[in-house]
Amino acid sequence: DGRRALAKLLDEHPQIDAIFCGADIMALGVLMEAQVRKLDVPGRLKVIGYGDQNFAGDTDPALTTIRIDGTKIGKLAASMLIEKIETGTCKRAKIDVGFTLIERGSA
Protein backbone atom coordinates (compact mmCIF):
# COMPACT_ATOMS: atom_id res chain seq x y z
CA ASP A 1 0.00 0.00 0.00
CA GLY A 2 2.86 2.39 0.74
CA ARG A 3 4.27 1.92 -2.75
CA ARG A 4 0.92 2.59 -4.39
CA ALA A 5 0.26 5.57 -2.12
CA LEU A 6 3.59 7.21 -2.94
CA ALA A 7 3.11 6.60 -6.66
CA LYS A 8 -0.32 8.25 -6.55
CA LEU A 9 0.89 11.15 -4.43
CA LEU A 10 3.81 11.85 -6.74
CA ASP A 11 1.59 11.61 -9.83
CA GLU A 12 -0.84 14.13 -8.34
CA HIS A 13 1.64 16.30 -6.41
CA PRO A 14 5.13 15.93 -7.91
CA GLN A 15 6.52 18.65 -5.65
CA ILE A 16 5.81 16.69 -2.45
CA ASP A 17 8.95 16.47 -0.32
CA ALA A 18 7.88 14.70 2.88
CA ILE A 19 5.51 11.93 3.92
CA PHE A 20 4.33 10.93 7.40
CA CYS A 21 2.91 7.42 7.40
CA GLY A 22 0.45 6.14 10.00
CA ALA A 23 2.40 2.88 10.30
CA ASP A 24 6.01 1.81 9.81
CA ILE A 25 4.95 -0.90 7.37
CA MET A 26 3.38 1.76 5.16
CA ALA A 27 6.58 3.81 5.38
CA LEU A 28 8.55 0.73 4.31
CA GLY A 29 6.47 0.60 1.13
CA VAL A 30 7.09 4.31 0.58
CA LEU A 31 10.85 3.74 0.92
CA MET A 32 10.65 0.87 -1.56
CA GLU A 33 8.81 2.98 -4.15
CA ALA A 34 11.21 5.86 -3.63
CA GLN A 35 14.10 3.48 -4.30
CA VAL A 36 12.47 2.16 -7.49
CA ARG A 37 11.98 5.76 -8.65
CA LYS A 38 15.57 6.59 -7.67
CA LEU A 39 14.44 9.35 -5.30
CA ASP A 40 17.03 10.44 -2.77
CA VAL A 41 15.74 9.84 0.75
CA PRO A 42 16.02 12.10 2.71
CA GLY A 43 17.41 14.60 0.18
CA ARG A 44 14.45 14.70 -2.21
CA LEU A 45 11.85 12.99 -0.02
CA LYS A 46 11.70 12.68 3.75
CA VAL A 47 9.82 9.69 5.17
CA ILE A 48 8.58 9.22 8.74
CA GLY A 49 6.79 6.16 10.08
CA TYR A 50 4.81 5.42 13.21
CA GLY A 51 5.27 2.62 15.69
CA ASP A 52 9.05 1.99 15.74
CA GLN A 53 8.65 -1.60 14.59
CA ASN A 54 11.61 -3.98 14.84
CA PHE A 55 12.59 -3.51 11.19
CA ALA A 56 12.61 0.32 11.28
CA GLY A 57 16.28 0.60 12.12
CA ASP A 58 17.24 -1.93 9.43
CA THR A 59 15.72 -0.24 6.38
CA ASP A 60 17.90 1.66 3.94
CA PRO A 61 17.96 4.43 4.90
CA ALA A 62 16.97 3.63 8.49
CA LEU A 63 13.41 4.78 9.13
CA THR A 64 12.73 7.85 11.23
CA THR A 65 9.66 6.98 13.26
CA ILE A 66 7.44 7.83 16.19
CA ARG A 67 7.69 5.48 19.18
CA ILE A 68 4.67 5.04 21.42
CA ASP A 69 4.20 3.00 24.59
CA GLY A 70 1.69 0.42 23.40
CA THR A 71 1.67 -1.42 26.72
CA LYS A 72 0.79 1.77 28.58
CA ILE A 73 -1.96 2.56 26.06
CA GLY A 74 -3.41 -0.95 26.45
CA LYS A 75 -3.41 -0.75 30.25
CA LEU A 76 -5.04 2.68 30.22
CA ALA A 77 -7.69 1.52 27.74
CA ALA A 78 -8.47 -1.52 29.89
CA SER A 79 -8.78 0.56 33.06
CA MET A 80 -11.05 3.05 31.30
CA LEU A 81 -13.23 0.21 30.00
CA ILE A 82 -13.49 -1.33 33.47
CA GLU A 83 -14.39 2.08 34.92
CA LYS A 84 -17.10 2.52 32.28
CA ILE A 85 -18.53 -0.94 32.96
CA GLU A 86 -18.48 -0.51 36.74
CA THR A 87 -19.73 3.09 37.01
CA GLY A 88 -21.46 3.78 33.71
CA THR A 89 -19.10 6.68 33.02
CA CYS A 90 -15.45 7.35 32.44
CA LYS A 91 -13.95 10.49 33.95
CA ARG A 92 -11.02 10.60 31.54
CA ALA A 93 -12.07 11.41 28.00
CA LYS A 94 -8.50 12.03 26.81
CA ILE A 95 -5.12 10.99 28.09
CA ASP A 96 -1.84 12.22 26.66
CA VAL A 97 0.47 9.21 26.70
CA GLY A 98 3.27 11.02 24.91
CA PHE A 99 5.58 9.82 22.18
CA THR A 100 9.25 9.82 21.20
CA LEU A 101 10.64 10.85 17.84
CA ILE A 102 13.28 8.31 16.82
CA GLU A 103 15.53 10.18 14.41
CA ARG A 104 17.17 8.00 11.81
CA GLY A 105 18.27 8.43 8.23
CA SER A 106 14.98 8.79 6.32
CA ALA A 107 14.14 12.32 7.53
Side-chain angles (χ1 to χ4, degrees):
D1 289 341
R3 288 190 68 180
R4 285 188 295 276
L6 179 59
K8 183 172 174 142
L9 279 170
L10 289 174
D11 288 346
E12 295 175 6
H13 307 280
Q15 75 285 3
I16 198 165
D17 63 357
I19 296 184
F20 175 74
C21 300
D24 285 346
I25 194 71
M26 189 76 120
L28 176 61
V30 168
L31 288 174
M32 292 169 66
E33 184 65 19
Q35 185 178 38
V36 167
R37 291 176 178 245
K38 299 187 182 347
L39 298 176
D40 177 34
V41 175
R44 162 66 179 82
L45 182 70
K46 291 159 185 48
V47 180
I48 301 176
Y50 183 88
D52 195 25
Q53 297 298 309
N54 292 337
F55 64 83
D58 297 324
T59 62
D60 185 26
L63 181 62
T64 296
T65 186
I66 302 295
R67 179 182 293 155
I68 55 163
D69 187 341
T71 301
K72 182 178 182 179
I73 292 169
K75 287 178 180 180
L76 285 167
S79 70
M80 292 171 74
L81 182 58
I82 290 168
E83 180 182 358
K84 177 79 171 174
I85 291 167
E86 290 177 347
T87 67
T89 63
C90 185
K91 295 175 187 167
R92 302 171 287 180
K94 285 194 248 180
I95 298 174
D96 183 352
V97 295
F99 64 91
T100 305
L101 174 64
I102 307 301
E103 296 183 62
R104 295 189 182 111
S106 68

